């Protein structure tokens, strides 16, 4: 199935595996790429040296195109861009809008730039700055999310920009791909669905929690870092929502100390990153620290398997996912179903009586 996305990135299928922290590592990305979709490495939870090693590991496993997701507001964003360019990575994606200068630097080096956005005006801005495509995430998506549903946001963005639009938030099967194409998208991006594959390195106990979740077990909370965050409801989430400022600050300090040791960041650097994540919001110091060390909360679940103390970011589709296929099986299933749906549509359309 050829679309503007496949032509732009060189992949076989118009499917993107999103860059999920602690999840989208070399194993998942290379499996996705070998299956013909666009795998995206999550670099925000890696040091620069780990990022370079991860890129080289993916390249050793497959010759297929893949991407790297970057935090545009990171203090070492330019160093990471340099790694992407030096290592010949095909695509750079961004969780926040990159600057005009970063986009130009990547494009001059032949890298495809695909920011993720959650509002029409953001899409218009990055398109004017030269972005090659955008990923549009509606409110159904996991992690930091907005309030507007994909079915409302997607057509707005498609109408507003003249670059390929990739739909995210609420997708897990071939029917969703066809629906996105009907709205004018060039493909779909999926996070939770790729997290729940046999190629994902997420511990089995955590995967089991996702598979057991119903749609109502997935919530949006601001308790983690002061911003709307979609995740599985756990005792930790409930406790943080009930904490006062003093207990939240104490909890944040403990978590921040662990993340500082793991990442090698200094306290000033962590606070600077926390402030950068505020996006103009009026956050307490506890929330600033939680924002800075949210990766540690994610790591507790996604790496250590701590379903009691970790954060499990999740799209609403977790409530309807029931199995753990390989990436190859998942991609084949999505594309086969999309083809069947497309073949059925002409036969399902009948003229109105008297028409």
């Amino acid at each position: 199935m050829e679309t503007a996305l496949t032509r732009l990135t060189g992949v076989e299928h118009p499917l993107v595996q999103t860059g999920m922290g602690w999840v989208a590592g070399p194993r998942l990305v290379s499996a996705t790429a070998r299956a013909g979709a666009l795998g995206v490495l999550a670099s925000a939870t890696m040091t620069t040296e780990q990022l370079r090693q991860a890129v080289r590991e993916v390249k050793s496993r497959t010759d297929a195109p893949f991407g790297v997701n970057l935090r545009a507001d990171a203090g070492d964003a330019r160093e990471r861009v340099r790694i992407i360019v030096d290592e010949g990575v095909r695509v750079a994606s961004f969780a926040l809008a990159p600057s005009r200068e970063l986009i130009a630097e990547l494009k001059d080096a032949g890298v495809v730039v695909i920011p993720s956005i959650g509002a029409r005006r953001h899409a218009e801005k990055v398109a004017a700055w030269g972005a090659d495509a955008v990923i549009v995430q509606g409110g159904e998506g996991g992690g930091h999310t907005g309030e507007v549903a994909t079915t409302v946001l997607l057509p707005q963005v498609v109408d507003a920009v003249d670059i390929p639009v990739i739909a995210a938030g609420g997708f897990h099967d071939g029917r969703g791909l066809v629906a996105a194409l009907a709205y004018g998208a060039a493909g779909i991006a999926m996070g939770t669905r790729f997290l729940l594959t046999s190629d994902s390195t997420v511990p089995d106990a955590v995967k089991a929690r996702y598979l057991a979740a119903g749609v109502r077990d997935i919530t949006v909370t601001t308790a983690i870092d002061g911003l709307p965050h979609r995740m599985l409801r756990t005792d930790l989430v409930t406790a943080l929502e009930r904490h006062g400022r003093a207990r939240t600050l104490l909890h944040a300090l403990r978590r921040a100390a662990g993340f500082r040791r793991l990442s090698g960041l200094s306290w000033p650097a962590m606070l600077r990153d926390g402030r950068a994540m505020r996006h103009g919001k009026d956050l307490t110091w506890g929330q600033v620290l939680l924002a800075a060390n949210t990766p540690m909360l994610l790591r507790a679940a996604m790496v250590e398997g701590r379903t009691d103390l970790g954060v499990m970011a999740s799209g609403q589709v977790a409530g309807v996912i029931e199995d753990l296929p390989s990436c190859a099986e998942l991609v084949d299933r999505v594309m086969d179903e999309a083809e069947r749906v497309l073949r059925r549509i002409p036969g399902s359309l009948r003229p109105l009586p008297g028409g």
Side-chain angles (χ1 to χ4, degrees):
M1 183 182 291
E2 183 179 321
T3 72
L5 170 62
T6 62
R7 292 190 293 271
L8 178 66
T9 62
V11 297
E12 183 179 357
H13 305 299
L15 307 175
V16 178
Q17 162 255 301
T18 60
M20 301 164 281
W22 306 114
V23 177
R27 190 171 94 177
L28 180 61
V29 171
S30 58
T32 301
R34 287 196 301 267
L38 181 65
V40 178
L41 277 169
S43 80
T45 50
M46 300 177 185
T47 65
T48 52
E49 184 53 38
Q50 287 170 338
L51 171 58
R52 190 180 294 276
Q53 291 172 358
V55 167
R56 291 178 176 177
E57 184 175 344
V58 174
K59 290 171 66 177
S60 74
R61 296 184 180 195
T62 179
D63 294 328
F66 66 97
V68 169
N69 182 261
L70 303 169
R71 255 187 54 207
D73 59 349
D76 58 359
R78 285 199 174 278
E79 184 178 354
R80 293 171 185 267
V81 164
R82 202 71 253 152
I83 291 171
I84 288 174
V85 172
D86 291 345
E87 297 294 333
V89 175
R90 175 65 176 160
V91 175
S93 71
F94 289 87
L96 297 171
S99 66
R100 188 194 301 265
E101 292 73 25
L102 271 185
I103 292 176
E105 184 176 344
L106 286 161
K107 286 174 65 73
D108 287 346
V111 180
V112 175
V113 180
I114 308 180
S116 294
I117 58 93
R120 172 177 173 167
R121 67 183 185 278
H122 298 153
E124 292 172 332
K125 179 173 70 174
V126 295
W129 287 354
D132 296 293
V134 289
I135 295 176
V136 178
Q137 178 175 306
E140 301 94 322
H144 290 116
T145 193
E147 298 177 350
V148 182
T150 304
T151 51
V152 176
L153 180 61
L154 176 59
Q156 281 187 324
V157 175
V158 168
D159 290 345
V161 299
D162 59 1
I163 57 176
V165 175
I166 303 153
F171 296 101
H172 68 104
D173 61 9
R175 293 175 299 175
L177 172 58
V178 173
L181 294 175
Y183 274 115
I188 58 174
M190 301 182 290
T192 305
R193 178 64 275 195
F194 276 103
L195 183 156
L196 294 173
T197 60
S198 59
D199 293 304
S200 162
T201 57
V202 171
D204 290 343
V206 176
K207 290 180 181 179
R209 282 293 298 271
Y210 277 96
L211 293 177
V215 173
R216 293 182 180 276
D217 297 319
I218 301 153
T219 188
V220 175
T221 182
T222 59
I224 300 301
D225 56 12
L227 300 170
H229 207 144
R230 186 177 292 283
M231 61 188 66
L232 296 189
R233 176 160 288 285
T234 63
D235 291 342
L236 171 66
V237 173
T238 301
L240 285 175
E241 288 177 340
R242 292 175 178 171
H243 283 174
R245 287 193 175 192
R247 291 186 65 188
T248 297
L249 180 58
L250 180 61
H251 175 86
L253 284 167
R254 287 200 300 264
R255 286 292 182 179
F259 182 54
R260 189 182 68 84
R261 289 192 299 270
L262 186 70
S263 65
L265 292 173
S266 65
W267 282 109
M270 284 189 63
L271 288 173
R272 184 178 63 246
D273 282 355
R275 286 195 184 101
M277 293 181 189
R278 292 172 63 175
H279 311 311
K281 303 292 183 180
D282 182 21
L283 304 185
T284 66
W285 278 110
Q287 288 171 324
V288 168
L289 278 172
L290 281 171
N293 76 95
T294 294
M296 193 66 174
L297 296 173
L298 290 166
R299 185 182 190 276
M302 301 305 167
V303 177
E304 300 168 7
R306 296 296 303 270
T307 58
D308 55 337
L309 294 177
V311 163
M312 289 173 277
S314 177
Q316 283 185 307
V317 294
V320 297
I321 293 174
E322 298 178 342
D323 61 353
L324 299 170
S326 68
C327 287
E329 290 167 341
L330 172 62
V331 169
D332 286 346
R333 180 194 303 177
V334 170
M335 297 311 302
D336 287 347
E337 183 179 27
E339 294 289 351
R340 290 196 304 272
V341 171
L342 286 170
R343 285 196 298 268
R344 284 201 307 267
I345 288 175
S348 67
L349 300 176
R350 297 287 185 270
L352 294 172

